[in-house]
Amino acid sequence: MQKVTPFLWFDGKAEEAAKFYVSLFKNAELGEVRRYAEGSPAPAGSAMSASFQIDGQNYIAFNGGPHFKFTPAVSLFVNCETQEEVDELWAKLSEGGEESRCGWLKDKYGLSWQIIPSALGKGLQDKDPAKAKRVLGWTPEVDFKGLVTMMVDADLARLSRTPSARVVADTPAG
């Protein structure tokens, strides 16, 4: 059993959200859906919680009412191996939600996600600080705030057209 499980609070959309999330990932499945009984604070038969798993990570979606909302302070980070994976997840998760910068988005349920190409992280961790800075085009002429402002989503093709792509491609895994 997993010791720590993210517990996601929804306002009546827990089962719908869990089904949506598992539909997006190849290695995902919906688990148990617990329903409210007669005399409960919610309509009998409506979902109280739904468990689901994505790539071996367990989650619980809970219908707790309007008391708490998601914030970008907590997000789900997805390492993507291909541009197709980035584009597909970005399109599906941002539909009805809100796109942001640096691979961040908020889905239609308000949950924040980071859809990031794994090559980007590898390049940013290069042992040569100059190479690591160039991965995103960070030069003395472009400060970090400027980079964050310029980025809207993670685009491997854009990286491949810049000197930073060579840095990512030349960075050994691990």
Side-chain angles (χ1 to χ4, degrees):
M1 173 180 251
Q2 185 172 299
K3 190 167 190 90
V4 177
T5 302
F7 191 88
L8 308 172
W9 185 292
F10 294 88
D11 183 11
K13 303 278 187 180
E15 182 177 15
E16 178 184 315
K19 287 179 178 179
F20 175 65
Y21 299 146
V22 300
S23 76
L24 300 177
F25 297 91
K26 292 176 186 164
N27 189 19
E29 65 182 359
L30 184 66
E32 181 181 9
V33 177
R34 294 183 178 191
R35 303 205 175 272
Y36 284 104
E38 287 290 333
S40 297
S46 65
M48 177 184 353
S49 66
S51 62
F52 62 102
Q53 188 178 82
I54 300 172
D55 283 324
Q57 172 69 49
N58 294 317
Y59 298 86
I60 298 173
F62 176 71
N63 279 326
H67 313 294
F68 300 108
K69 305 285 184 205
F70 294 115
T71 75
V74 174
S75 62
L76 300 182
F77 187 100
V78 182
N79 278 307
C80 298
E81 294 302 320
T82 66
Q83 185 65 48
E84 293 77 24
E85 186 180 14
V86 168
D87 293 343
E88 181 180 347
L89 285 172
W90 185 268
K92 290 178 179 178
L93 283 166
S94 65
E95 185 177 335
E98 183 181 318
E99 295 181 355
S100 191
R101 293 174 169 77
C102 301
W104 287 65
L105 63 85
K106 188 182 294 186
D107 70 24
K108 60 187 171 185
Y109 304 104
L111 183 60
S112 291
W113 295 77
Q114 296 180 63
I115 309 302
I116 306 296
S118 59
L120 183 63
K122 292 172 188 169
L124 289 171
Q125 295 175 13
D126 194 283
K127 291 177 182 166
D128 179 345
K131 280 186 179 180
K133 287 180 179 179
R134 286 194 314 266
V135 168
L136 292 177
W138 191 3
T139 65
E141 299 81 36
V142 180
D143 67 5
F144 184 73
K145 184 177 178 184
L147 282 175
V148 172
T149 303
M150 288 188 303
M151 290 183 66
V152 174
D153 64 1
D155 186 341
L156 290 173
R158 185 191 73 161
L159 285 173
S160 69
R161 294 187 302 267
T162 66
S164 62
R166 288 189 294 278
V167 174
V168 171
D170 293 341
T171 302

